[in-house]
Amino acid sequence: MISFIGRSIVQKIITLFFVSIVSFLIIHLAPGEPSQVDPMNPKFTREMVERFREEFHLDKPLYRQYLYFYRDLFSGKTISWKDNQPAFKKIWERFLNSLPLFIVGTILTWTISFPVGIRSAIFRGGIYDRSATFFSYLLISIPGFFFAYILIMFVVNQFHVPVIGMETFGIGETSGFNRIMDRIWHLLLPSLLGATAGIAVLSRFVRSQMLEVEGQDYVRTAKAKGLAPDQVHYKHALRNALLPFVTMFGLILPGLIGGSVIIESIFAWPGMGRMAYEAILARDYPIILTLNFVSAVLVLIGTFISDLLYMVVDPRIRL
Amino acid sequence: MTTKRILILAPLVLTVILLQSYLWVPTYEEQAKGNPQRLHQYINASIGDAAILNPILSADSASSEITDKVFEGLIDRDEELRFRGRLAASWDISEEAFFYVNAATDVPGLDQVSPRAIIDLIQAARNQKARFSAELQKTLDNIVTVSLVSARTERVTEQIRDPSDDQKTQKIDITISAPARIKLYLKTVDQDLFVHLSQILGKNYFNSFDGAKFLVTTPAVGTDQLNALVQKFLPAVEHNPIIEFQLRPDVKFHDGHSVDAHDVKFTYDAIMHPRNLSPRVSSYEPVKEVLVIDPLTVRVIYKRLYSPAIGSWAMGILPEHLLNDAALKKEALALGKDLQSFSMRQSGFNRHPIGCGPFVFREWVSDQYIFLDRFDEYWEGPPHYEKYVFRVIPDLLTQEMEFYAGTIDSYGVQPHQVKRLKDDPNFQSFSGTSLGFSYIGYNVRRKPFGDRRVRQALSMAIDVNKIIEYVLYNQGERITGPFPKQTDFYNPSIEPVPYDPEGALKLLAEAGWNRNDQGWLEKNGQRLQFKLITNNGNDIRKAILAIAQDSWKQIGIDVRTDLVEWAVFIQERVNKLDFDALVLGWSMGIDPDLYQIWHSSQTGYNQLNFVGFANNEADDLIIKIRQEYNHAQLVEYCHRLHDIIANEQPYTFLFVSRWTAILDKRIVIKEFDDQANIAYRKITPTKTGNYTFHFNKWIKLAQAPEFAP
């Protein structure tokens, strides 16, 4: 166990090193220039562009730029080119904004998918199963932004309440409890939209896992023993069907940093996804690369956690 | 069964918690009607957040929207786009001109060329003007004083670029032993001064002055570099325009500190300081020095004639006492930052600016909103609105919904919505032409675009009116040349190129292109064939690409098209001049300076005259336009230049787009008449279409007022 953890950490650090090189190269080799040195702006003279390039170390060879960047990153000195704010501070602020969306979205996905999927599996082929299938595919195929517009228009026109932003604009003066409720309301639509595709996919997955397990001999044995159907489905079948989901749990972690560009833009939500998108458009390399690095770290931690979890829940696996 | 119950109850409880929050949220009606404060706020929405709230550092439109409200410049432009004083109560433009006494050439009527003799000659000419031509008389009238600057010797060290290696620089010691100079002080700027004076001093007096004789370099340098150094240190003649600003007394920054000439000088110094990396350096590069004469007088002396420089003083003035070295040092110490690398760019001022404009900065929450309060001590009287709110709403449809709900006050209408929203009785609408235009540019270095007739024919074959009608939903206007259509510089007498495919074929036949049996145009067995490109991601340009291709195919031109990703498009095609024809647009300022885009010296790699337009008369006019300080004369030059460019057609000038904005109908202009009674007036746009010009007088009423038609 200890040796597994040790080996795994070494491997992950090596992977991280290569990820850092590859992502650095991809971002720097992609065409385009930071907006501060945009050659198409008639206001920028050649001397100015050169001064900016020097300031940003863009005039140095790539390997030097790489060293400069990671030196700044590890000493926490990375600053955004757009507004000179420290990169970690910016990312942390946005992270806190995206976090509630992520948490509510994830809870919605996981709590709703299971009952829906399990019921579909138990009453396989019935009218419930068919309509659940129909709706899942509908939700998977509908474009997120389109669904978002429809929902916004419906809610705004029917209920005349604001849905944009993290809270009702100008609510600053009201009491604490109202504000909390207001924030929850503003979370509802974007997190629901973020969860729809997840619910549709995950409930399908739950259904197929359950069906597979339900066909196993030990489930038939349990039924033959005369156990109550609920006992069979929820104790004997569900527990075994859960195993693959444990691995998925670890992989949610990187989603934390991703945010959602489309949902955050439509709802004017000041989150990570939007910041990353705008940074890419402005070629704000420090922000893009820092985000990239942090998400690589999170992916590696996520896989590590799911490895560990798997060991804990499945007694057949011993490393 | 517990598991089953949990599985069913958990989502239900969660859903109930989420849904019940609806009951606590104020509806739009409550926000708009139950909130009297709302009438005193102006809420504006923007797609992107501001980057840096410092007028000398910001380069994006969102930031300047805020800095324009928080800061104030010395001057700005009035309804007619003329300059008007803001912090400057008045200003005066004069000139100091210099020339070296040229002993090497004969001066008519002088036996011996001494400085004194030259001065006497000019003085004498001033006293008996009648002998001379009218233009010379005018020039002589303009001279206030003539004086002598004695000869000087100095040593300087200069860093110059190594001619063999662009990356390296070389240190050069220079010894200058300059002859005496004559200094002329002029009432107004006169770019033809020396041209006219040569009527007295002899035709070759100025251009035969050889500065290289008075300059010694160690080590010796090549001819090109020597010429550059002579130009720098010993130019035969020199124009130094001077602008003297008289500041308004008793203007205060938001923190109560008064604004004076030192703040103006500080702002200039801050822009030029290399460490601040200000994107505005190029506008101030022609400045020689900024002098504080007294606390309310500041004098700006320029190195050379450069008339667009006046406009640069619309730049917001920074408070020196908050940003000078001592203040920055204190801030760096408080933050524990490195003193050496801490510059204005790192200062907290950029996120909490203090200026002297009509609104005081209060709060900025990134990517959400910026709050401004009105400045009660604003010198022109405080604005009527108490608050200015800038909201970041990145999605246009969301902006539209918020506008209908009354939580933002204006909305920029998309072209396809104009028909529906323009005459909606619930809103007031404004529209005007944008600054900037779209065009098809031809690489005149390549065949067949070198021939003007071919370019004209290509323009004639495209029905631009159809493009405006179908691609822009009629939200565009024809444009015929490079100047902004709403300014005087645009020549309205030039007719747009007509849609005339037959005429186009005739012109092409003159140029030697005739249709072969398959219908393609041919010359010497070669087909008229080229590639039209544009950048990916712009639907309007993409549509133009298809329309142009189709129109040209119809008269037998074999056109291929290609869409290229923006960065590749600029770096690989435009900057390296690797294209036949392209569809692109320029966005412009009001200044008529066309040097970078149209002068023949700007046709190299990475330069903006990428079509390679070169015309001697145009070059001459472009230089004259940069140097002319008289508006009427400027307009005349611009009209002529416009004519030349329209005739040469290096671009097919397509259109300038129209913008439309809608505003809550309850917003009106509030004024006081002579008896101090309140009078409301409908918001009317200025001649140039700017409806926010009187923003400080706007107010929102509880009920939309009825105005007599």
Side-chain angles (χ1 to χ4, degrees):
Chain A
M1 177 85 173
I2 301 292
S3 76
F4 164 74
I5 293 175
R7 247 185 304 133
S8 167
I9 287 175
V10 172
Q11 276 172 5
K12 302 223 139 119
I13 287 175
I14 295 171
T15 317
L16 196 60
F17 174 65
F18 283 106
V19 168
S20 75
I21 291 181
V22 171
S23 59
F24 187 86
L25 281 180
I26 288 177
I27 283 161
H28 275 265
L29 295 181
E33 294 268 2
S35 52
Q36 287 82 357
V37 293
D38 182 4
M40 276 307 275
N41 191 335
K43 285 212 177 107
F44 292 177
T45 58
R46 188 160 158 242
E47 289 73 31
M48 270 188 55
V49 170
E50 271 173 25
R51 279 221 319 258
F52 263 105
R53 293 180 70 88
E54 201 176 317
E55 175 78 11
F56 294 160
H57 305 304
L58 285 171
D59 53 344
K60 303 268 177 357
L62 270 183
Y63 73 92
R64 293 279 292 278
Q65 292 188 40
Y66 175 87
L67 292 178
Y68 278 127
F69 173 75
Y70 283 97
R71 183 196 67 193
D72 286 353
L73 184 73
F74 290 119
S75 54
K77 278 198 293 199
T78 320
I79 53 167
S80 159
W81 288 345
K82 182 186 165 205
D83 53 11
N84 286 76
Q85 294 286 299
F88 282 117
K89 187 178 149 220
K90 269 184 90 159
I91 293 174
W92 179 247
E93 280 171 9
R94 299 313 165 85
F95 173 75
L96 291 183
N97 291 342
S98 281
L99 192 63
L101 260 188
F102 172 79
I103 292 176
V104 175
T106 313
I107 295 180
L108 276 175
T109 313
W110 287 74
T111 51
I112 294 177
S113 318
F114 274 89
V116 171
I118 293 169
R119 207 180 141 85
S120 288
I122 295 173
F123 302 102
R124 180 186 184 182
I127 183 93
Y128 172 84
D129 182 29
R130 284 183 196 191
S131 44
T133 310
F134 173 77
F135 280 109
S136 313
Y137 282 109
L138 184 75
L139 289 179
I140 293 173
S141 15
I142 195 166
F145 75 95
F146 180 70
F147 194 31
Y149 285 148
I150 302 224
L151 263 183
I152 291 179
M153 285 193 188
F154 172 72
V155 174
V156 170
N157 291 331
Q158 286 300 309
F159 304 105
H160 305 284
V161 286
V163 291
I164 308 303
M166 298 216 310
E167 56 182 19
T168 299
F169 185 73
I171 199 162
E173 286 92 40
T174 43
S175 70
F177 183 71
N178 269 14
R179 254 185 108 168
I180 293 171
M181 281 303 160
D182 185 67
R183 286 211 162 206
I184 293 179
W185 169 252
H186 280 82
L187 268 173
L188 176 65
L189 279 193
S191 54
L192 188 68
L193 279 164
T196 42
I199 294 172
V201 174
L202 199 66
S203 64
R204 295 279 82 201
F205 196 40
V206 171
R207 177 178 175 272
S208 62
Q209 280 300 320
M210 276 296 278
L211 281 179
E212 197 186 318
V213 177
E214 292 265 351
Q216 297 288 336
D217 289 346
Y218 56 83
V219 174
R220 199 167 347 126
T221 313
K223 278 184 187 158
K225 264 201 309 193
L227 287 178
D230 278 357
Q231 193 88 356
V232 177
H233 296 313
Y234 290 98
K235 195 162 182 187
H236 293 259
L238 182 61
R239 277 198 185 177
N240 285 296
L242 276 180
L243 277 180
F245 296 101
V246 172
T247 24
M248 282 178 74
F249 220 84
L251 293 176
I252 313 176
L253 209 55
L256 264 176
I257 197 112
S260 161
V261 177
I262 295 167
I263 301 289
E264 284 176 359
S265 296
I266 292 177
F267 284 90
W269 196 278
M272 299 281 302
R274 235 172 93 194
M275 182 179 66
Y277 179 62
E278 278 161 19
I280 290 171
L281 287 188
R283 305 286 194 279
D284 193 348
Y285 294 154
I287 295 287
I288 309 173
L289 285 169
T290 310
L291 271 174
N292 198 299
F293 189 79
V294 174
S295 54
V297 172
L298 285 180
V299 170
L300 295 176
I301 293 180
T303 47
F304 183 63
I305 290 178
S306 63
D307 285 351
L308 290 184
L309 275 179
Y310 220 77
M311 258 169 20
V312 173
V313 293
D314 192 341
R316 286 170 297 185
I317 295 173
R318 280 286 162 263
L319 294 157
Chain B
M1 184 81 214
T2 342
T3 328
K4 186 180 177 184
R5 268 184 227 128
I6 292 175
L7 277 176
I8 291 169
L9 275 178
L12 283 181
V13 170
L14 185 67
T15 316
V16 169
I17 293 179
L18 286 174
L19 285 178
Q20 61 83 38
S21 65
Y22 165 69
L23 303 169
W24 305 89
V25 183
T27 61
Y28 278 125
E29 279 74 28
E30 284 169 48
Q31 274 186 75
K33 294 206 181 89
N35 180 1
Q37 275 303 309
R38 176 68 183 86
L39 295 179
H40 301 290
Q41 294 178 346
Y42 182 78
I43 307 180
N44 206 3
S46 157
I47 290 182
D49 197 9
I52 187 163
L53 296 184
N54 184 327
I56 75 158
L57 302 179
S58 70
D60 59 307
S61 59
S63 300
S64 47
E65 188 183 328
I66 300 298
T67 53
D68 284 352
K69 297 265 181 293
V70 174
F71 292 90
E72 182 121 70
L74 295 177
I75 52 171
D76 72 353
R77 287 180 190 269
D78 68 6
E79 286 139 291
E80 309 279 321
L81 297 180
R82 287 173 310 224
F83 290 116
R84 64 169 180 170
R86 306 310 288 164
L87 291 180
S90 64
W91 66 98
D92 192 41
I93 302 176
S94 53
E95 181 185 339
E96 273 175 3
F98 298 89
F99 64 91
Y100 281 107
V101 173
N102 185 358
T105 174
D106 291 331
V107 175
L110 282 188
D111 312 329
Q112 200 188 6
V113 183
S114 74
R116 234 3 318 150
I118 301 265
I119 292 178
D120 290 342
L121 189 68
I122 296 173
Q123 292 290 16
R126 290 176 69 206
N127 293 333
Q128 24 182 310
K129 282 177 292 223
R131 292 191 288 135
F132 305 113
S133 63
E135 49 186 19
L136 179 55
Q137 281 183 31
K138 233 168 106 189
T139 293
L140 290 170
D141 267 339
N142 194 28
I143 298 174
V144 182
T145 58
V146 186
S147 54
L148 180 74
V149 184
S150 44
R152 76 194 146 104
T153 311
E154 64 175 332
R155 285 162 165 277
V156 282
T157 314
E158 203 40 25
Q159 292 271 7
I160 61 168
R161 266 175 208 281
D162 197 315
S164 54
D165 182 358
D166 210 34
Q167 299 297 318
K168 272 194 223 154
T169 55
Q170 204 179 353
K171 240 189 188 164
I172 306 268
D173 286 319
I174 307 166
T175 312
I176 302 163
S177 38
R181 257 175 141 191
I182 310 289
K183 172 176 162 184
L184 303 164
Y185 183 68
L186 312 180
K187 266 190 289 217
T188 59
V189 178
D190 181 2
Q191 63 166 312
D192 295 324
L193 171 74
F194 297 112
V195 180
H196 294 160
L197 277 186
S198 60
Q199 291 178 23
I200 303 174
L201 295 171
K203 223 166 80 193
N204 290 322
Y205 185 83
F206 298 112
N207 51 29
S208 67
F209 177 74
D210 183 12
K213 282 198 298 196
F214 306 101
L215 186 144
V216 181
T217 62
T218 28
V221 292
T223 329
D224 284 351
Q225 288 170 318
L226 187 68
N227 285 341
L229 289 174
V230 167
Q231 260 316 305
K232 184 168 177 188
F233 293 106
L234 284 154
V237 297
E238 194 176 339
H239 289 276
N240 284 168
I242 297 170
I243 312 179
E244 192 165 293
F245 292 104
Q246 204 63 44
L247 302 190
R248 232 171 262 282
D250 303 324
V251 180
K252 292 208 160 37
F253 283 113
H254 301 149
D255 62 353
H257 203 278
S258 45
V259 181
D260 66 22
H262 293 281
D263 295 306
V264 178
K265 182 170 166 52
F266 173 75
T267 305
Y268 164 74
D269 290 339
I271 291 167
M272 298 313 287
H273 196 301
R275 220 164 61 189
N276 293 337
L277 291 171
S278 165
R280 318 225 178 260
V281 172
S282 59
S283 316
Y284 295 85
E285 183 274 327
V287 173
K288 191 173 181 183
E289 60 180 326
V290 175
L291 297 172
V292 176
I293 307 298
D294 65 52
L296 291 178
T297 312
V298 61
R299 183 183 296 161
V300 187
I301 303 172
Y302 286 88
K303 292 176 205 163
R304 57 173 186 272
L305 296 171
Y306 185 62
S307 57
I310 304 170
S312 67
W313 294 102
M315 160 71 55
I317 297 301
L318 297 175
E320 183 190 6
H321 63 286
L322 295 174
L323 286 167
N324 59 16
D325 286 345
L328 288 180
K329 202 168 166 187
K330 211 167 114 189
E331 190 181 344
L333 281 177
L335 293 171
K337 292 273 174 67
D338 178 24
L339 286 181
Q340 286 308 311
S341 66
F342 195 83
S343 74
M344 196 185 284
R345 277 204 167 253
Q346 276 80 44
S347 170
F349 183 88
N350 303 330
R351 289 191 71 83
H352 198 288
I354 290 174
C356 54
F359 285 90
V360 182
F361 175 86
R362 193 176 70 189
E363 193 187 5
W364 178 8
V365 179
S366 291
D367 264 348
Q368 294 190 59
Y369 54 77
I370 297 175
F371 265 107
L372 308 178
D373 288 328
R374 79 168 165 210
F375 181 39
D376 289 322
E377 289 167 74
Y378 183 56
W379 63 270
E380 211 182 18
H384 293 323
Y385 273 121
E386 284 170 16
K387 288 188 174 64
Y388 182 90
V389 187
F390 171 92
R391 286 181 73 185
V392 183
I393 303 178
D395 186 78
L396 282 175
L397 189 108
T398 317
Q399 273 192 17
E400 194 185 342
M401 299 302 292
E402 290 285 283
F403 176 75
Y404 295 146
T407 47
I408 56 179
D409 283 321
S410 70
Y411 169 65
V413 182
Q414 300 300 297
H416 65 272
Q417 301 173 315
V418 170
K419 215 168 144 192
R420 171 162 61 93
L421 289 173
K422 194 168 176 155
D423 299 315
D424 192 317
N426 295 317
F427 316 116
Q428 46 184 332
S429 76
F430 302 94
S431 57
T433 51
S434 324
L435 284 167
F437 59 90
S438 293
Y439 60 88
I440 301 175
Y442 306 105
N443 191 345
V444 300
R445 304 170 193 84
R446 291 195 180 175
K447 274 183 184 167
F449 304 117
D451 191 328
R452 177 166 59 104
R453 290 168 297 190
V454 174
R455 302 193 297 260
Q456 281 171 336
L458 289 172
S459 295
M460 283 161 85
I462 297 176
D463 192 348
V464 181
N465 291 328
K466 284 258 162 59
I467 295 182
I468 292 174
E469 190 179 341
Y470 295 112
V471 180
L472 296 177
Y473 303 90
N474 274 324
Q475 298 309 305
E477 283 175 23
R478 292 295 301 262
I479 188 164
T480 58
F483 294 105
K485 208 170 174 181
Q486 56 268 63
T487 61
D488 300 342
F489 310 125
Y490 186 86
N491 188 343
S493 67
I494 294 170
E495 288 291 320
V497 180
Y499 173 57
D500 181 5
E502 292 302 316
L505 280 172
K506 227 179 268 168
L507 269 175
L508 285 166
E510 272 177 45
W513 297 94
N514 291 301
R515 293 187 101 152
N516 65 11
D517 3 320
Q518 288 140 8
W520 298 111
L521 283 166
E522 257 186 12
K523 181 181 181 178
N524 308 332
Q526 281 230 310
R527 240 192 230 180
L528 182 46
Q529 189 182 55
F530 61 88
K531 200 170 204 178
L532 178 67
I533 59 171
T534 193
N535 65 298
N536 209 348
N538 183 322
D539 289 338
I540 292 179
R541 284 186 201 150
K542 208 163 122 186
I544 295 171
L545 203 70
I547 292 171
Q549 184 184 29
D550 180 58
S551 311
W552 288 336
K553 270 218 169 115
Q554 284 179 17
I555 61 165
I557 303 170
D558 185 7
V559 187
R560 316 283 163 86
T561 59
D562 198 5
L563 286 170
V564 190
E565 196 269 325
W566 175 252
V568 179
F569 177 67
I570 293 303
Q571 283 173 13
E572 300 300 320
R573 311 303 295 270
V574 177
N575 283 352
K576 296 194 174 151
L577 311 176
D578 179 20
F579 63 93
D580 297 329
L582 46 72
V583 184
L584 205 58
W586 283 120
S587 60
M588 296 175 295
I590 293 165
D591 279 328
D593 182 13
L594 297 182
Y595 188 77
Q596 282 175 296
I597 300 178
W598 294 102
H599 196 270
S600 62
S601 67
Q602 304 294 308
T603 51
Y605 282 4
N606 298 320
Q607 286 180 318
L608 298 182
N609 187 354
F610 39 75
V611 293
F613 174 74
N615 176 299
N616 290 337
E617 194 188 347
D619 278 357
D620 198 37
L621 281 166
I622 288 168
I623 299 290
K624 274 192 170 147
I625 287 170
R626 294 188 117 186
Q627 302 189 341
E628 185 54 60
Y629 284 70
N630 180 325
H631 187 75
Q633 188 64 52
L634 196 58
V635 168
E636 197 179 298
Y637 290 147
C638 289
H639 283 190
R640 175 73 194 119
L641 180 60
H642 185 156
D643 197 20
I644 294 171
I645 292 176
N647 192 36
E648 286 290 325
Q649 286 284 310
Y651 288 177
T652 292
F653 290 92
L654 294 172
F655 56 80
V656 46
S657 55
R658 287 187 70 81
W659 53 263
T660 298
I662 48 176
L663 205 62
D664 191 317
K665 210 167 192 182
R666 291 172 294 173
I667 299 176
V668 294
I669 290 178
K670 177 179 163 187
E671 283 178 328
F672 297 95
D673 63 13
D674 305 338
Q675 285 88 44
N677 296 321
I678 293 174
Y680 295 111
R681 174 159 82 76
K682 211 177 152 122
I683 295 171
T684 44
T686 62
K687 203 178 90 182
T688 53
N690 177 9
Y691 67 100
T692 57
F693 185 77
H694 294 292
F695 180 78
N696 291 351
K697 291 182 182 169
W698 286 13
I699 192 69
K700 191 171 185 175
L701 303 174
Q703 207 103 81
E706 291 288 329
F707 293 109

